[in-house]
């Protein structure tokens, strides 16, 4: 999706913004059950794990990369670790920013959004049979233009 030079520029910005956030606790963060998202530009943000283990965020990164190849997730790149001034490691990766629904309704609802999200879940599970989309609520989906994508590959 992006030239390597653009990815490098965004990666440098991400590290700077994320380190400032952790050192000074600056910047608005959107949080879920196990991860948080810090927007670094209009188009990109950094997803970071609240859990200390690197394996979990690496698995989420791998799953999101695979889902992106199928057109089911935002573009992501650059899995990295930041150590803040307190000596705490934060596991991160860069992901495309998407428009979120702002709701957290279960997919079992009868509204149009829930029906479309339930269909997205079926497509993801059919294409990625190793991935269990267990945290299926509308807060874990987003839109790139009019296209619905999954934004949470944890849980």
């Amino acid at each position: 999706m992006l030239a390597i030079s653009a990815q490098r520029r965004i990666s440098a910005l991400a590290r700077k913004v994320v380190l400032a956030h952790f050192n000074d606790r600056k910047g608005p963060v959107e949080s879920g059950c196990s991860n948080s998202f810090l927007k670094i530009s209009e188009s990109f943000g950094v997803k970071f794990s609240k859990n200390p283990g690197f394996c979990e965020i690496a698995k989420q990164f791998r799953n999101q990369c695979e889902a992106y190849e199928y057109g089911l997730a935002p573009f992501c790149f650059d899995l990295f670790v930041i150590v803040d001034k307190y000596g705490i490691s934060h596991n991160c990766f860069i992901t495309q920013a998407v428009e979120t629904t702002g709701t957290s309704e279960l997919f079992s609802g009868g509204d149009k959004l829930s029906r479309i999200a339930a269909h997205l879940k079926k497509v993801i599970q059919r294409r990625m049979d190793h991935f269990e989309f267990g945290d299926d609520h509308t807060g874990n989906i987003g839109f790139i233009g009019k296209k619905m994508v999954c934004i949470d590959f944890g849980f």
Side-chain angles (χ1 to χ4, degrees):
M1 176 179 183
L2 284 177
I4 296 298
S5 59
Q7 288 183 25
R8 286 185 182 132
R9 283 192 306 277
I10 293 166
S11 293
L13 173 65
R15 284 168 169 71
K16 182 179 175 180
V17 171
V18 169
L19 190 57
H21 169 76
F22 286 121
N23 285 342
D24 305 325
R25 302 295 185 228
K26 291 182 180 177
V29 174
E30 297 176 34
S31 290
C33 183
S34 60
N35 293 326
S36 294
F37 177 81
L38 178 65
K39 198 164 184 179
I40 60 168
S41 73
E42 191 62 36
S43 302
F44 289 95
V46 175
K47 188 173 276 194
F48 55 92
S49 177
K50 296 177 186 176
N51 303 320
F54 186 75
C55 291
E56 180 59 31
I57 197 88
K59 184 174 121 183
Q60 293 173 35
F61 175 74
R62 185 183 68 240
N63 284 337
Q64 185 169 328
C65 287
E66 182 180 347
Y68 171 76
E69 294 298 321
Y70 293 118
L72 303 171
F75 177 66
C76 63
F77 63 98
D78 196 17
L79 182 61
F80 62 96
V81 177
I82 286 284
V83 180
D84 66 23
K85 69 181 180 183
Y86 308 103
I88 300 170
S89 296
H90 303 276
N91 307 306
C92 313
F93 66 88
I94 299 169
T95 183
Q96 182 180 4
V98 302
E99 186 177 331
T100 58
T101 64
T103 66
S104 290
E105 303 297 319
L106 294 176
F107 288 179
S108 58
D111 65 325
K112 182 178 180 180
L113 180 61
S114 293
R115 288 193 308 273
I116 295 169
H119 176 72
L120 175 65
K121 177 182 176 177
K122 287 178 186 175
V123 172
I124 289 170
Q125 290 180 325
R126 188 171 47 244
R127 297 234 172 110
M128 300 173 60
D129 60 355
H130 60 86
F131 174 66
E132 175 72 29
F133 192 11
D135 197 12
D136 55 348
H137 62 81
T138 55
N140 285 337
I141 57 170
F143 292 88
I144 299 172
K146 292 186 178 191
K147 182 178 172 185
M148 184 182 285
V149 293
C150 178
I151 60 171
D152 188 348
F153 289 88
F155 201 77

